[in-house]
Amino acid sequence: MKAAVLHEVKTPLAIEDVAITTPGPREILIRTAAVGVCRSDLHFIDGVYPYPLPTIPGHEAAGVVEAVGSEVRRIKVGDHVVTCLSAFCGACEHCVTGHLSLCTDPSVQRGPDAAPKLTLGGKPVNQFLNLSAFAEMMLVHENAAVTIDRDMPLTQAALIGCAVTTGAGAVFNDCRIRPGESVAVIGCGGIGLAAINAARIAGAGRIIAIDPLESKRSLAMKLGATDAFDPGMDKAHQAIVEATGGGVHHAIEAVGRPASAELAWNILRRGGQAVIVGMIPPGQNVSIHGPTFLQGKGIKGSLMGSNRFPVDLPRLVDFYLKGQLDLDSIIAERTDLNGINDAVDKLRQGDAVRSVVVFG
């Protein structure tokens, strides 16, 4: 199969012929239909977050099942599926208490003595975040995918695998917004826009979009924001606090920078909560002034929107099919696998919302 391989950080991905094995007992083989190019991929491609190389990045995907292992019962050949990097075992403490996204049980991966799933020239290729989706095929644990309605377009479905699950999950699972409450979303890329759209679905009364790019602020308004602010404006956080009558109930940070996490904290009203979904680089710290804890505010991190993806993803698909979730507007461009490096470069520039690699 053709795949985009990362051999060395900060270098272009190489389109290579990679061998993929047959499914093990609890694995499924998926023909990739579409994969989003996410900023999280860029963190690994540029070495901000280390990962063993070589690897095939990509983690926001949808496709059609081609083969299943002998013990797979929940998914069958021909099913349309969305994958999710937070594969879960279903039996550990995190899983049985409903925190599937926090599962780290090694049973969802092949053991060190098993044959590698991916090889190049006879040598192993490390699977990326349980998926390796910048490829024509994916071989994943059955608990890294969920069947979806066949009426759902697979190009749009791919976005649900990360951006929408993360952004909407921050709203539904972490913030648990009540109708009429206010929320601010810092960063209007794919995740931030999904959070804004989800906040509208949840019935938020005031939805504040915060992004330095006017084009992204305009798109946020289309997806449900009621107000938009440039974080670079003079005394931005004071202006937001004043405009909201004392600050917002919830603030979602979807950038991954200490300054934006601090902004999320500073624009909260007394008793509000900040949720950090952005990937703040290792070694960087968020500074919060001690006395502000006396205001009853809280801050928490969120991995993949604290999802329970076998339940959450089909519901998000349903929102799209009913016209409530706008995924079409988030897609900035479609390309093929040969255009992957251009799509990655556009991520570095920070202007585009979401590029999607479409196969076939």
Side-chain angles (χ1 to χ4, degrees), residues 51-304:
Y51 204 85
L53 301 178
T55 190
I56 301 167
H59 64 278
E60 184 181 80
V64 180
V65 177
E66 292 238 328
V68 301
S70 59
E71 297 179 13
V72 174
R73 299 291 181 268
R74 188 173 52 84
I75 296 174
K76 62 183 183 299
V77 172
D79 280 350
H80 290 200
V81 295
V82 173
T83 57
C84 189
L85 66 89
S86 54
F88 63 94
C89 72
C92 70
E93 179 181 354
H94 294 304
C95 287
V96 298
T97 57
H99 302 99
L100 276 63
S101 65
L102 299 181
C103 179
T104 57
D105 192 298
S107 67
V108 300
Q109 302 172 354
R110 285 191 177 181
D113 297 329
K117 292 181 180 179
L118 305 165
T119 56
L120 178 61
K123 296 182 179 180
V125 174
N126 296 287
Q127 188 173 42
F128 181 73
L129 301 179
N130 298 312
L131 300 177
S132 279
F134 289 164
E136 293 176 327
M137 307 286 287
M138 293 178 286
L139 182 59
V140 307
H141 191 278
E142 64 173 324
N143 287 351
V146 61
T147 302
I148 61 169
D149 192 316
R150 292 193 181 208
D151 289 336
M152 180 70 191
L154 288 172
T155 299
Q156 285 84 343
L159 301 184
I160 297 178
C162 177
V164 180
T165 292
T166 301
V171 169
F172 298 139
N173 301 327
D174 294 311
C175 295
R176 298 187 178 183
I177 292 175
R178 297 173 180 170
E181 288 185 333
S182 56
V183 59
V185 178
I186 303 169
C188 296
I191 292 172
L193 291 172
I196 286 167
N197 199 163
R200 179 177 65 181
I201 294 171
R206 197 85 177 266
I207 305 172
I208 314 294
I210 304 171
D211 196 281
L213 293 179
E214 193 279 331
S215 60
K216 289 188 177 181
R217 295 196 298 271
S218 296
L219 185 52
M221 296 293 288
K222 177 183 177 182
L223 291 177
T226 58
D227 307 84
F229 287 85
D230 181 346
M233 65 182 287
D234 187 44
K235 298 181 179 179
H237 91 265
Q238 293 97 324
I240 296 167
V241 169
E242 181 178 342
T244 54
V248 296
H249 293 93
H250 308 276
I252 297 171
E253 194 279 345
V255 180
R257 294 176 183 166
S260 54
E262 291 161 11
L263 176 60
W265 178 266
N266 290 329
I267 61 177
L268 291 175
R269 66 176 58 229
R270 295 171 74 88
Q273 178 174 256
V275 175
I276 312 302
V277 300
M279 294 175 65
I280 296 175
Q284 295 189 11
N285 300 310
V286 176
S287 177
I288 296 174
H289 296 294
T292 57
F293 284 107
L294 300 177
Q295 298 173 6
K297 300 194 293 187
I299 185 169
K300 68 169 293 187
S302 174
L303 174 62
M304 293 289 293

